[in-house]
């Protein structure tokens, strides 16, 4: 299912407690992590199976007991393989409220002056127990869990700083500009997927010629732009089919497919079942 959006706009948690927790299994509606980015930070804990993460322009396979830290603004998406994993999406600003002792270091992370290492658990034995406690507190939601969650987040950041699990950030202006162009393309797709979209229009938005754009986009997402557009449309179709009482033809049109038979063929390609079979599995 569609993992929120290319630019995730959904509020995580509540206004006063902007921290959300997701326990993902192969039966979860958001099991496959769509390529996206958001202004929040994210922790991913792998419980079983493997998880292939595409982060910015790097791809890596993660294993049980791995802990992944994703900074704000980073393009990322993941493919789980027989995997159970947990995600914590949070606004780091919550740790700045009425706290002056730690504000400088937290602000350095928020301002990207330092970049926390993506894989934390392979460099410190202290990280996994903290994240396990954090996940337990968020999943249990027992009285006082909000205090415990913030305490574990402070403990996590303190351990990261203490054990120097971060790098001083050096800006690559060319890479930053190219990533920004890809974000513009993803935002355009998320807002216009129901309309006709051509490779030429996407390459113009990216400010690249079509051939180079295809190569660069594929290096980032492991899909061609049109393949990714169709994949995104099918993810949107899955969301409609599982949450709304709509005929298959209407869903197809709403997701940018003018031909119902082509929609069914494309849906089966990505999901392994027809739209009607998918509906039976989710109702």
């Amino acid at each position: 299912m569609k993992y929120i959006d290319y630019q995730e706009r959904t509020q995580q948690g509540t206004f006063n407690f902007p921290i959300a927790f997701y326990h993902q299994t192969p039966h979860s509606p958001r099991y496959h992590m769509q390529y996206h980015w958001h202004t929040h930070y994210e922790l991913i804990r792998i419980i079983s199976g493997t998880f292939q993460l595409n982060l910015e322009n790097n791809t890596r396979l993660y294993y049980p007991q791995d802990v992944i830290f994703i900074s704000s603004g980073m393009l990322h998406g993941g493919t789980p393989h027989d995997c159970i994993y947990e995600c914590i999406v949070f606004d780091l600003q919550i740790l700045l409220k009425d706290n002056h002792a730690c504000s400088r270091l937290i602000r350095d992370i928020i301002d990207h002056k330092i970049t926390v290492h993506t894989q934390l658990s392979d460099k410190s034995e202290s990280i996994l127990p903290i994240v396990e406690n954090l996940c337990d507190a968020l999943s249990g939601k027992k009285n006082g869990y909000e205090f415990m969650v913030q305490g574990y987040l402070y403990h996590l950041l303190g351990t990261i700083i203490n054990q120097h699990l971060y790098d001083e950030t050096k800006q690559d202006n060319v890479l930053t500009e190219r990533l920004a162009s890809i974000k513009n393309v993803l935002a355009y797709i998320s807002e216009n997927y129901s309309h006709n979209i051509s490779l030429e229009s996407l390459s113009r938005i990216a400010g690249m010629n079509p051939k180079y754009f295809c190569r660069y986009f594929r290096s980032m997402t492991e899909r061609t732009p049109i393949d990714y557009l169709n994949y995104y449309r099918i993810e949107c179709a899955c969301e409609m089919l599982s949450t709304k009482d709509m005929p298959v033809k209407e869903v197809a049109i709403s997701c940018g497919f003018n031909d119902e038979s082509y929609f069914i063929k494309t849906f089966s390609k990505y999901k392994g079942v027809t739209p009607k079979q998918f509906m039976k599995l989710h109702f």
Side-chain angles (χ1 to χ4, degrees):
M1 292 293 291
K2 183 165 61 113
Y3 190 82
I4 309 293
D5 202 344
Y6 284 126
Q7 181 183 359
E8 188 173 85
R9 297 177 176 86
T10 299
Q11 179 172 308
Q12 300 293 346
T14 64
F15 178 78
N16 290 318
F17 193 71
I19 302 172
F21 174 76
Y22 305 96
H23 179 84
Q24 309 286 35
T25 74
H27 304 292
S28 300
R30 295 175 180 172
Y31 180 59
H32 291 275
M33 186 182 289
Q34 180 68 285
Y35 203 66
H36 68 293
W37 65 281
H38 44 65
T39 58
H40 294 81
Y41 291 78
E42 185 167 359
L43 282 167
I44 303 174
R45 169 198 174 201
I46 310 302
I47 298 174
S48 64
T50 59
F51 189 94
Q52 180 177 298
L53 178 70
N54 299 324
L55 180 65
E56 302 283 78
N57 57 346
N58 295 307
T59 300
R60 182 168 179 173
L61 194 63
Y62 292 89
Y63 299 91
Q65 300 190 6
D66 280 344
V67 173
I68 306 164
F69 187 97
I70 300 175
S71 295
S72 69
M74 284 189 165
L75 286 165
H76 61 285
T79 304
H81 302 280
D82 296 321
C83 185
I84 297 175
Y85 66 100
E86 293 177 328
C87 298
I88 301 168
V89 185
F90 60 98
D91 185 348
L92 204 52
Q93 297 275 359
I94 191 175
L95 302 183
L96 283 176
K97 294 181 179 180
D98 301 319
N99 182 349
H100 302 291
C102 307
S103 60
R104 183 182 63 80
L105 288 171
I106 293 174
R107 179 57 63 186
D108 282 348
I109 296 173
I110 292 174
D111 293 341
H112 298 283
K113 291 182 179 179
I114 63 176
T115 301
V116 176
H117 293 167
T118 302
Q119 185 169 2
L120 294 175
S121 50
D122 66 335
K123 299 171 182 176
S124 171
E125 295 180 355
S126 307
I127 295 294
L128 182 59
I130 299 171
V131 176
E132 287 176 337
N133 288 333
L134 183 55
C135 290
D136 289 344
L138 282 164
S139 62
K141 290 189 175 181
K142 297 179 180 178
N143 287 339
Y145 84 97
E146 296 94 341
F147 292 99
M148 298 174 69
V149 166
Q150 292 178 78
Y152 290 135
L153 283 174
Y154 279 121
H155 190 184
L156 176 67
L157 291 178
T159 301
I160 288 169
I161 299 300
N162 178 259
Q163 300 185 15
H164 210 281
L165 304 178
Y166 64 90
D167 295 315
E168 302 289 336
T169 302
K170 295 180 180 179
Q171 289 290 338
D172 183 334
N173 292 331
V174 174
L175 178 59
T176 299
E177 187 175 320
R178 288 176 179 173
L179 289 174
S181 69
I182 294 297
K183 288 178 181 179
N184 290 336
V185 170
L186 298 182
Y188 181 83
I189 288 174
S190 70
E191 293 168 4
N192 297 279
Y193 67 90
S194 61
H195 305 297
N196 182 44
I197 297 177
S198 66
L199 174 62
E200 288 71 23
S201 64
L202 294 178
S203 60
R204 280 197 301 271
I205 291 167
M208 305 175 189
N209 68 61
K211 185 176 180 180
Y212 180 79
F213 170 63
C214 279
R215 186 167 66 248
Y216 185 70
F217 190 93
R218 187 165 190 169
S219 72
M220 294 290 296
T221 66
E222 297 192 339
R223 295 180 185 272
T224 65
I226 299 304
D227 178 35
Y228 214 98
L229 170 62
N230 285 332
Y231 176 66
Y232 184 80
R233 285 170 166 165
I234 294 303
E235 291 294 301
C236 293
C238 286
E239 192 167 53
M240 290 183 186
L241 290 169
S242 61
T243 59
K244 300 178 181 179
D245 185 15
M246 296 173 63
V248 170
K249 185 175 183 179
E250 187 177 340
V251 171
I253 294 172
S254 297
C255 294
F257 293 92
N258 295 322
D259 186 326
E260 183 179 358
S261 61
Y262 179 66
F263 167 69
I264 294 172
K265 181 180 178 181
T266 306
F267 192 100
S268 300
K269 170 187 173 183
Y270 289 109
K271 295 300 175 181
V273 295
T274 66
K276 288 185 177 180
Q277 289 171 332
F278 179 86
M279 291 173 71
K280 289 180 180 179
L281 292 171
H282 290 80
F283 281 104

